[in-house]
């Protein structure tokens, strides 16, 4: 029951229904409270719903139940990271890497946690002056206030204010200049204490402390009454330059795309690299270059370069808060590269974990397909590693001994193990089919017999097993066909010949009308469930033939000259649907 609930949870998780997955995993945990995998799966489902506190509790339980399982620490690190507990996340990932140093999922998680911790440390403190020095508003305020307007005609003051505007921290360099203090008061709307006559005050160059003469006072008054020209706004060269660089980066990307389509991979890499140098805020340049390395990946060098680019794209994308689809694309490409590497390393787990991580970012059908392929490849590899024909034969012989002792369940167990060790052995399927027949598990016996024939169409035992199952299922016409097919490969096989005789005897009973009412009723009911019989009875032509048999014997004789009609009528007779008199 717990495995059934777990399977439902896995299916819900794969389809993106994380709330349902949590419910099914909870049901499974109630039935198997010490299964660490269930807590791990539920932790992943909680994390996908951004319920990181619940995910953390389940991850802790996972580690408690299975402290030597690396995936538990991966879940723990992800939950801490979701709660912005970056240092705890780093510790969890490092602990997991102590257990499994080559785990790509743990390495990627550790990189994400370290990047998050670095960002939180690097956040600059807010400026105590807010946006007082930002934009053209600063110059407008200084021009509008009479106490600072005259300073704008003084080049050294304008230069100081420009320096402060570029970096407010430069204010400390000019605090001794009374003009800067006066400007600060105007910008902050604070009235600063003016210096007394006896205090020292820095005199701007070109002015005098002596009392001006009458002509000078007149000139000064004229100057004050004239309209003061505001300083010209500074050219935003940096912004324009940034736009130009971005535009150039896009052109390089387009050139790279064109080269990639022509399979000029070296040129494509060169263009994507230039684009990255021009604009480091677009991770598509990295993912595109990774795609080129992936396409070139004839050896591990290109694959490694692809993985590095994808890791950089994910890290940079998280810093820039890029579209989750872009991050998912980078993870999918990384997973594809890891899957290619796994063909040699025989380790598909890193690829599977990376694809799963990509799916948590964005549910993409292509990524899901690649995940399924990686999981199948892993399963096939495990099967290949488990194969051992010698051990398989030993298990089959053990099964034969139990069969002779009529201990059929034990025999089935050993035949099944034999097939795990050697899934291409038709004899093991034949033996297990015989066991299932003895146990009355006829559908399972039929399936094994058909597999036996599929693996070796010339093996007569496969036909005798299949025919026997069909005979016990009272499908005598089908059993007859099976025995006759087997005789094509082994014409003198006595078991097949005996099978034909038994089937003919049963079929003739129906033709002669020798069946009891109960037998006839049972055979008719079984026949009506047969799709072939249903098709015959629903065929308008055959329905007319059956009517002619009852009402127009001469027309019926003409119908019987058609081999196909004759064959279908014979099937109906054998099934007990039609009786010939």
């Amino acid at each position: 029951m717990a495995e059934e609930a777990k399977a439902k949870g896995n299916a819900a998780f794969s389809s993106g229904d994380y709330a349902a997955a949590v419910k099914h995993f909870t049901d499974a945990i109630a039935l198997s409270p010490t299964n660490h995998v269930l807590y791990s799966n539920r932790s992943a489902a909680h994390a996908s719903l951004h319920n990181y506190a619940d995910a953390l509790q389940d991850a802790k339980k996972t580690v408690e139940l299975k402290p030597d399982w690396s995936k538990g620490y991966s879940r723990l690190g992800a939950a801490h990271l979701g709660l912005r507990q970056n240092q705890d996340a780093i510790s969890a990932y490092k602990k997991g890497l102590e257990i499994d140093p080559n785990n790509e999922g743990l390495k990627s998680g550790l990189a994400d946690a370290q990047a998050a911790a670095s960002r939180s440390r690097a956040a600059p403190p807010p400026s105590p002056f807010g946006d007082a020095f930002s934009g053209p508003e600063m110059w407008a305020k200084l021009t509008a206030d009479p106490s600072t307007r005259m300073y704008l005609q003084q080049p050294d003051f304008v230069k100081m204010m420009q320096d402060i505007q570029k970096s407010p921290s430069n204010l400390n360099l000019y605090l001794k200049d009374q003009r800067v203090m006066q400007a600060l008061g105007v910008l902050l709307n604070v009235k600063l204490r003016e210096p007394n006559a006896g205090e020292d005050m820095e005199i701007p160059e070109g002015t005098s402390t002596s009392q001006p003469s009458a002509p000078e006072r007149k000139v000064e008054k004229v100057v004050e009454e004239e309209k003061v020209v505001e300083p010209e706004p500074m050219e935003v060269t940096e912004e324009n330059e940034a736009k130009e660089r971005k535009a150039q980066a896009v052109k390089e990307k387009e050139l790279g795309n064109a080269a990639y389509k022509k399979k000029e991979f070296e040129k494509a890499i060169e263009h994507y690299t230039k684009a990255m140098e021009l604009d480091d805020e677009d991770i598509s340049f990295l993912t595109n270059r990774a795609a080129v390395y992936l396409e070139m990946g004839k050896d591990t060098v290109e694959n490694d370069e692809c993985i590095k680019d994808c890791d950089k794209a994910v890290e940079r994308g998280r810093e820039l808060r890029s579209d989750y689809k872009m991050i998912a694309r980078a993870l999918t490409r990384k997973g594809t590269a890891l899957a290619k590497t796994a063909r040699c390393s025989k380790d598909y787990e890193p690829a599977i974990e990376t694809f799963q991580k990509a799916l948590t970012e964005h549910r993409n059908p292509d990524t899901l397909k690649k995940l399924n392929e990686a999981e199948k490849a892993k399963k096939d590899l495990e099967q290949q590693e488990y194969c051992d024909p010698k051990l398989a034969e030993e298990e089959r012989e053990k099964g034969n001994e139990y069969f002779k002792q009529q201990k059929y369940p034990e025999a089935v167990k050993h035949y099944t193990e034999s097939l795990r060790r050697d899934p291409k052995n038709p004899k093991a399927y034949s033996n297990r089919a015989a066991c299932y027949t003895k146990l009355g598990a006829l559908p399972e016996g039929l399936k094994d017999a058909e597999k036996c024939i599929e693996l070796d169409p010339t093996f007569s035992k496969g036909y005798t097993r299949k025919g026997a199952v069909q005979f016990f299922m009272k499908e005598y016409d089908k059993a007859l066909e099976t025995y006759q097919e087997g005789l094509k490969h082994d014409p003198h096989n006595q078991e097949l010949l005996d099978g034909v005789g038994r089937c003919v005897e049963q079929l003739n009973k129906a033709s002669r009308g020798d069946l009891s009412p109960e037998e006839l009723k049972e055979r008719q009911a079984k026949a009506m469930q047969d799709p072939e019989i249903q098709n015959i009875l629903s065929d308008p032509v055959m329905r007319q033939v059956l009517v002619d048999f009852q009402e127009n014997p001469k027309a019926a004789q003409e119908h019987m000259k058609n081999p196909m009609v004759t064959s279908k009528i014979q099937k109906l007779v054998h099934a007990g649907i039609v009786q010939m008199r």
Side-chain angles (χ1 to χ4, degrees):
M1 290 294 289
E3 284 299 318
E4 183 180 349
K6 175 188 173 187
K8 289 180 180 178
N10 290 341
F13 188 92
S14 297
S15 65
D17 190 352
Y18 304 121
V22 168
K23 179 181 179 300
H24 290 306
F25 289 138
T26 301
D27 293 342
I29 288 170
L31 297 167
S32 180
T34 59
N35 189 331
H36 63 283
V37 176
L38 298 177
Y39 287 99
S40 171
N41 289 3
R42 191 170 69 174
S43 176
H46 277 309
S48 298
L49 291 168
H50 304 292
N51 298 333
Y52 295 112
D54 294 332
L56 181 61
Q57 292 302 316
D58 279 349
K60 287 181 177 178
K61 187 66 176 179
T62 304
V63 172
E64 177 188 331
L65 291 171
K66 189 72 172 174
D68 59 344
W69 193 44
S70 62
K71 185 172 284 188
Y73 295 95
S74 179
R75 302 293 190 214
L76 189 62
H80 279 306
L81 194 58
L83 293 168
R84 302 187 185 280
Q85 298 168 353
N86 300 328
Q87 292 304 321
D88 291 334
I90 291 171
S91 299
Y93 286 124
K94 285 183 176 180
K95 181 65 176 177
L97 287 169
E98 290 176 8
I99 298 169
D100 186 1
N102 298 318
N103 189 299
E104 290 295 329
L106 288 167
K107 289 180 181 178
S108 178
L110 177 60
D112 290 344
Q114 289 173 334
S118 176
R119 288 195 299 274
S120 63
R121 287 195 300 269
S127 172
F129 302 109
D131 57 353
F133 300 103
S134 63
E137 292 83 6
M138 180 187 83
W139 301 106
K141 285 184 179 181
L142 294 177
T143 302
D145 194 280
S147 65
T148 56
R149 185 184 301 151
M150 68 181 71
Y151 299 152
L152 296 177
Q153 301 299 316
Q154 300 165 9
D156 62 329
F157 173 81
V158 172
K159 185 178 183 305
M160 285 189 288
M161 294 307 296
Q162 288 175 344
D163 287 344
I164 295 170
Q165 189 176 45
K166 288 180 181 177
S167 177
S169 60
N170 289 337
L171 178 64
N172 295 327
L173 303 176
Y174 306 112
L175 286 177
K176 291 183 180 180
D177 192 308
Q178 191 59 38
R179 294 171 298 171
V180 173
M181 291 299 293
Q182 184 67 26
L184 180 61
V186 169
L187 294 174
L188 296 177
N189 294 321
V190 175
K191 188 173 182 180
L192 301 178
R193 180 174 63 87
E194 295 181 359
N196 296 326
E199 292 180 337
D200 293 332
M201 178 178 177
E202 187 174 342
I203 306 299
E205 193 175 319
T207 63
S208 173
T209 57
S210 60
Q211 185 70 19
S213 62
E216 288 173 336
R217 284 198 301 273
K218 184 176 180 181
V219 172
E220 184 179 351
K221 184 176 180 181
V222 172
V223 171
E224 287 178 359
E225 290 176 354
E226 288 178 359
K227 182 179 179 181
V228 179
V229 180
E230 295 183 16
E232 295 183 5
M234 294 180 291
E235 293 181 2
V236 192
T237 55
E238 292 183 4
E239 184 178 345
N240 291 338
E241 185 179 341
K243 287 181 180 179
E244 290 178 6
R245 289 171 66 86
K246 284 182 180 291
Q248 186 61 37
V250 171
K251 289 181 182 179
E252 290 292 341
K253 176 184 175 182
E254 291 172 354
L255 291 171
N257 293 344
Y260 177 79
K261 290 176 182 178
K262 295 177 183 177
K263 296 192 180 296
E264 297 174 352
F265 298 132
E266 295 296 339
K267 284 186 178 179
I269 289 173
E270 182 179 339
H271 288 300
Y272 290 138
T273 303
K274 285 181 181 177
M276 289 159 51
E277 292 170 354
L278 291 165
D279 181 10
D280 65 347
E281 294 185 353
D282 188 341
I283 65 171
S284 69
F285 307 146
L286 273 167
T287 58
N288 284 14
R289 191 172 72 174
V292 179
Y293 283 129
L294 184 63
E295 189 73 18
M296 295 172 65
K298 296 179 180 179
D299 53 41
T300 56
V301 175
E302 283 87 0
N303 267 353
D304 289 345
E305 290 299 323
C306 172
I307 292 169
K308 287 178 185 177
D309 272 0
C310 290
D311 285 337
K312 288 177 186 175
V314 171
E315 181 181 355
R316 186 63 176 146
R318 296 199 192 284
E319 290 175 359
L320 298 169
R321 298 184 181 275
S322 299
D323 186 351
Y324 56 87
K325 292 181 182 179
M326 292 296 296
I327 294 176
R329 182 184 299 173
L331 289 168
T332 299
R333 289 210 172 131
K334 178 182 178 182
T336 306
L338 289 169
K340 289 179 72 174
T341 304
R343 294 171 192 168
C344 299
S345 67
K346 310 297 183 185
D347 183 10
Y348 283 90
E349 192 60 34
I352 290 171
E353 287 190 7
T354 304
F355 286 134
Q356 289 172 338
K357 200 169 184 179
L359 288 170
T360 62
E361 296 287 343
H362 175 56
R363 194 81 187 163
N364 184 287
D366 182 57
T367 306
L368 184 59
K369 180 183 176 183
K370 290 177 182 291
L371 171 62
N372 292 335
E373 290 173 351
E375 288 177 337
K376 183 180 182 300
K378 179 187 176 185
K379 186 177 179 180
D380 292 344
L381 180 62
E382 289 172 349
Q383 179 63 52
Q384 290 174 13
E385 292 174 346
Y386 195 70
C387 281
D388 189 328
K390 184 178 178 181
L391 291 176
E393 188 60 26
E394 290 177 6
E395 289 293 332
R396 195 175 76 85
E397 289 299 331
K398 290 178 183 177
N400 291 342
E401 291 298 321
Y402 280 111
F403 186 87
K404 291 174 184 176
Q405 299 171 26
Q406 299 184 358
K407 295 181 179 180
Y408 303 121
E410 290 84 353
V412 167
K413 179 182 176 183
H414 286 288
Y415 290 141
T416 302
E417 180 61 23
S418 174
L419 287 169
R420 287 199 188 110
R421 293 287 185 181
D422 186 4
K424 302 291 185 181
N425 189 343
K427 292 182 179 179
Y429 279 107
S430 171
N431 293 148
R432 193 169 69 173
C435 269
Y436 281 136
T437 306
K438 292 289 185 182
L439 291 168
L442 300 181
E444 289 82 359
L446 181 62
K447 185 178 178 181
D448 272 2
E450 289 175 340
K451 185 66 177 178
C452 173
I453 294 171
E454 178 190 328
L455 291 171
D456 187 356
T458 64
F459 187 44
S460 58
K461 276 290 183 183
Y463 297 98
T464 59
R465 303 298 188 207
K466 182 178 179 181
V469 172
Q470 291 171 326
F471 187 88
F472 286 122
M473 295 172 77
K474 299 186 179 180
E475 296 176 349
Y476 303 121
D477 53 337
K478 292 183 179 179
L480 179 60
E481 290 177 3
T482 299
Y483 286 131
Q484 289 173 339
E485 184 67 26
L487 286 170
K488 291 179 183 178
H489 303 286
D490 189 358
H492 305 294
N493 186 287
Q494 193 59 45
E495 283 186 87
L496 293 172
L497 292 170
D498 291 343
V500 170
R502 288 194 300 273
C503 291
V504 170
E505 181 182 353
Q506 289 296 325
L507 293 171
N508 285 340
K509 273 188 180 182
S511 301
R512 294 192 303 266
D514 293 343
L515 296 174
S516 67
E518 291 78 12
E519 289 176 328
L520 180 60
K521 187 176 181 181
E522 181 185 355
R523 186 172 293 191
Q524 288 175 341
K526 193 170 188 66
M528 292 303 292
Q529 297 175 3
D530 188 335
E532 188 177 2
I533 298 295
Q534 292 174 2
N535 289 335
I536 293 173
L537 293 175
S538 62
D539 185 349
V541 175
M542 287 304 301
R543 289 169 68 178
Q544 183 60 47
V545 169
L546 293 174
V547 171
D548 288 343
F549 264 93
Q550 290 180 327
E551 300 177 357
N552 191 346
K554 188 175 181 180
Q557 289 178 359
E558 289 297 320
H559 290 313
M560 292 300 287
K561 292 179 182 179
N562 187 329
M564 290 183 63
V565 172
T566 303
S567 174
K568 290 179 179 180
I569 291 293
Q570 196 65 36
K571 286 184 182 293
L572 294 177
V573 171
H574 292 163
I577 303 295
V578 172
Q579 291 186 353
M580 304 295 289
R581 295 178 182 176

